Amino acid sequence: MQNNAILINAFRFILLVFLQVLLLNHINFLGYINPYVYILFILLFPLNGNKGLLIFLSFLLGFSIDVFGDSGGVHAAASVFIAYIRPWILKFSFGISYEHNNIKLYKTSLAQQFTYIVMMVFLHHIILFTLEIFNLSHILLIVKSTLFSGIFSIILLMSILILFSRKN
Amino acid sequence: MQQIIFFFIRNKNFLLFGLLFLISVYLTVQTHSYHNGKYVSSANFLSGNVFSAKSNVTGYFGLEDENKRLTQENIRLRKQLENLKSIANPSTLDSTILPSGYVFRNARIINNTYSKSKNYLTLKKGKKDSIKIDMGVISSQGIIGIVNATSENFSTVQSILNTESQINARLKESNHFGTLTWDTKNPNRVQLIDIPRLAPVTVGDTIITGGKSTIFPEGILIGTIEEFNLDGDANYYDLQIKLFNDMTSLKHVYVIENTNKEEILQLENEVEHAE
């Protein structure tokens, strides 16, 4: 990674943590629906960057959210999981050769971006809510929270990507 | 040996993932047991200061409502005071302070959650202000939770909106005891279970704390009965309680210390060991 990329990612990390814990954790749309936009860091991490580093940084990211939210390690677990599984999802969304072609996320088609985000968000949320609720008798609550929070997160993440894409 | 090293190098991402995932799950399980003590809570230096900086800004938005609530509490306390004056001799009341056994401390809430299944609040007072684990927390309108972690300047409170919370409560009218729980559905409604069938239950009755634990004094307001059903075996009532507190907009709270707690616990321990 170049110096520039390191700076951008460090800045993004801090900004997303603060955005999440100070604003997005308190939206409580319809009583309990919150978007989890901080995973944008994992989504935007250089696609051919070091995988071990990404896993470690994702742990730190999730852990910071947990410290602020008193949620033990649920965000850390969910973040580490999607960071580990990301290469396979990238392959699925952008084709087998994404690594060699040096693909940039904002240069791919909207449909490909959408597949990528939807898969990452739902995997993240299902682990997050399963661990947070930690009770199989509340499975309906887990599915409901995953679905609604997931849709909210996807809408926000797609908007952010479209707004900040540098196509021109 | 070389093969082992190669194995580690080849699978280093998986091993790293596995290790960090296990740590996270361990930290999660840790929070599910109340008495194990927590390693990670928002009562630490970093998040405590961030939250209190935020609350310094957002604290101004609800001041009018907060004032109204405090005035209402003052009116209620004044009424009680007048009642007491008419009972007791005023000259003795003025010069002596009755040893009540409870010390109240005020604190400001700097972070509050109510949309998860396990909710916590963060207070801007900690060990330095004599806040200790297992102290009760109430607002001017009723019960809020129990302190479950403290740091030098901050402390976290396990809210009654937490599936782990079990607080002793009773009907104001009839002294029948039950346990207060939460089903995660609505932040303004909790459940009172294990009220015996012979208790006279009517919608609108007031629920107060039972005073059977060393955490809350007896008679702290909780809420009113909104709905009641007999449970599966039809021996106990399940009551739906509407809280007096609006758990979604809390600013200032009182932390209660029971000065007789150690003595009570010690005595109970001795009795248990003697058996």
Side-chain angles (χ1 to χ4, degrees), chain A residues 94-121:
Chain A
F94 302 118
I96 204 99
S97 58
Y98 79 92
E99 228 165 348
H100 312 292
N101 289 358
N102 210 358
I103 282 182
K104 295 273 187 296
L105 192 61
Y106 56 86
K107 280 188 183 149
T108 54
S109 76
L110 212 59
Q112 284 176 327
Q113 287 180 19
F114 187 70
T115 324
Y116 174 50
I117 290 178
V118 167
M119 288 182 72
M120 293 286 269
V121 165

Side-chain angles (χ1 to χ4, degrees), chain A residues 18 21-23 25-28 31-34 36 50-53 55-56 59 63 66-78 80-82 84 127 131-134 138 141, chain B residues 12-14 16-18 20-21 23-25 27-29 31-32 38 40-44 46-48 50-51 54 111-118 120-122 156 163 183-185 187:
Chain A
F18 279 96
V21 298
L22 293 181
L23 184 67
N25 274 356
H26 301 280
I27 286 186
N28 297 322
Y32 61 95
I33 305 172
N34 281 330
Y36 295 98
N50 186 334
K51 285 166 195 148
L53 182 68
I55 292 173
F56 181 68
F59 177 76
F63 187 72
D66 281 324
V67 167
F68 279 96
D70 278 302
S71 44
V74 292
H75 288 283
V80 166
F81 182 76
I82 59 164
Y84 176 67
I127 291 179
L131 282 174
E132 183 187 308
I133 294 162
F134 214 64
H138 285 147
L141 183 68
Chain B
K12 67 177 192 306
N13 283 340
F14 179 75
L16 181 67
F17 158 71
L20 293 176
F21 195 77
I23 294 175
S24 320
V25 171
L27 288 173
T28 307
V29 173
T31 56
H32 289 286
K38 289 168 68 182
V40 188
S41 77
S42 65
N44 63 49
L46 178 71
S47 59
V50 170
F51 280 140
K54 177 201 167 205
N111 187 40
N112 178 15
T113 62
Y114 45 85
S115 59
K116 299 191 277 188
S117 63
K118 293 177 180 60
Y120 296 92
L121 305 105
T122 314
T156 57
T163 47
D183 64 1
T184 74
K185 292 206 177 103

Side-chain angles (χ1 to χ4, degrees), chain B residues 88-108:
Chain B
N89 186 351
S91 62
T92 52
L93 250 186
D94 277 347
S95 51
T96 51
I97 298 162
L98 299 171
S100 68
Y102 292 98
V103 177
F104 290 82
R105 294 185 178 85
N106 69 318
R108 199 178 75 194

Side-chain angles (χ1 to χ4, degrees), chain B residues 2-274:
Chain B
Q2 205 178 20
Q3 285 203 333
I4 297 175
I5 292 171
F6 275 140
F7 171 80
F8 275 107
I9 291 175
R10 227 179 321 127
N11 290 315
K12 67 177 192 306
N13 283 340
F14 179 75
L15 292 172
L16 181 67
F17 158 71
L19 177 75
L20 293 176
F21 195 77
L22 282 181
I23 294 175
S24 320
V25 171
Y26 174 74
L27 288 173
T28 307
V29 173
Q30 197 79 33
T31 56
H32 289 286
S33 58
Y34 174 70
H35 277 290
N36 268 359
K38 289 168 68 182
Y39 300 124
V40 188
S41 77
S42 65
N44 63 49
F45 178 76
L46 178 71
S47 59
N49 280 312
V50 170
F51 280 140
S52 76
K54 177 201 167 205
S55 131
N56 277 340
V57 176
T58 57
Y60 291 99
F61 295 128
L63 280 185
E64 202 178 319
D65 287 335
E66 190 65 22
N67 273 337
K68 264 184 210 152
R69 269 198 286 272
L70 288 175
T71 332
Q72 275 164 6
E73 189 190 18
N74 276 344
I75 292 171
R76 208 175 61 236
L77 294 177
R78 266 184 191 284
K79 272 188 197 153
Q80 282 178 8
L81 189 67
E82 289 306 319
N83 285 341
L84 279 179
K85 266 187 191 163
S86 62
I87 299 165
N89 186 351
S91 62
T92 52
L93 250 186
D94 277 347
S95 51
T96 51
I97 298 162
L98 299 171
S100 68
Y102 292 98
V103 177
F104 290 82
R105 294 185 178 85
N106 69 318
R108 199 178 75 194
I109 292 180
I110 55 174
N111 187 40
N112 178 15
T113 62
Y114 45 85
S115 59
K116 299 191 277 188
S117 63
K118 293 177 180 60
N119 293 299
Y120 296 92
L121 305 105
T122 314
L123 305 183
K124 200 179 183 247
K125 274 205 176 165
K127 278 181 206 149
K128 218 170 67 187
D129 312 284
S130 319
I131 306 291
K132 294 190 196 87
I133 290 175
D134 274 349
M135 286 186 179
V137 178
I138 61 170
S139 78
S140 55
Q141 282 153 309
I143 188 168
I144 291 190
I146 299 170
V147 175
N148 76 329
T150 54
S151 69
E152 211 49 45
N153 294 307
F154 304 100
S155 50
T156 57
V157 177
Q158 178 178 297
S159 155
I160 46 171
L161 305 183
N162 187 316
T163 47
E164 309 283 322
S165 281
Q166 294 202 324
I167 289 166
N168 176 281
R170 71 169 173 88
L171 304 175
K172 194 180 180 190
E173 302 298 325
S174 69
N175 284 330
H176 284 94
F177 286 94
T179 309
L180 208 62
T181 57
W182 189 50
D183 64 1
T184 74
K185 292 206 177 103
N186 183 332
N188 285 318
R189 195 173 298 140
V190 294
Q191 285 67 43
L192 183 60
I193 55 170
D194 294 345
I195 291 280
R197 193 181 170 176
L198 20 115
V201 174
T202 35
V203 171
D205 271 3
T206 306
I207 305 294
I208 56 177
T209 53
K212 285 264 161 94
S213 74
T214 52
I215 295 171
F216 291 104
E218 189 174 353
I220 302 279
L221 294 174
I222 296 175
T224 55
I225 300 176
E226 207 171 43
E227 206 187 310
F228 59 88
N229 300 305
L230 283 172
D231 71 353
D233 300 334
N235 291 325
Y236 294 99
Y237 281 117
D238 284 350
L239 310 178
Q240 296 285 332
I241 311 294
K242 188 174 174 4
L243 292 172
F244 288 124
N245 263 329
D246 180 3
M247 293 298 286
T248 60
S249 76
L250 297 168
K251 284 238 161 66
H252 288 91
V253 292
Y254 304 106
V255 183
I256 308 172
E257 177 180 2
N258 184 347
T259 47
N260 297 324
K261 182 177 173 177
E262 307 230 318
E263 196 180 330
I264 295 172
L265 288 180
Q266 197 190 345
L267 181 67
E268 281 175 357
N269 262 339
E270 275 170 21
V271 172
E272 231 167 70
H273 284 294

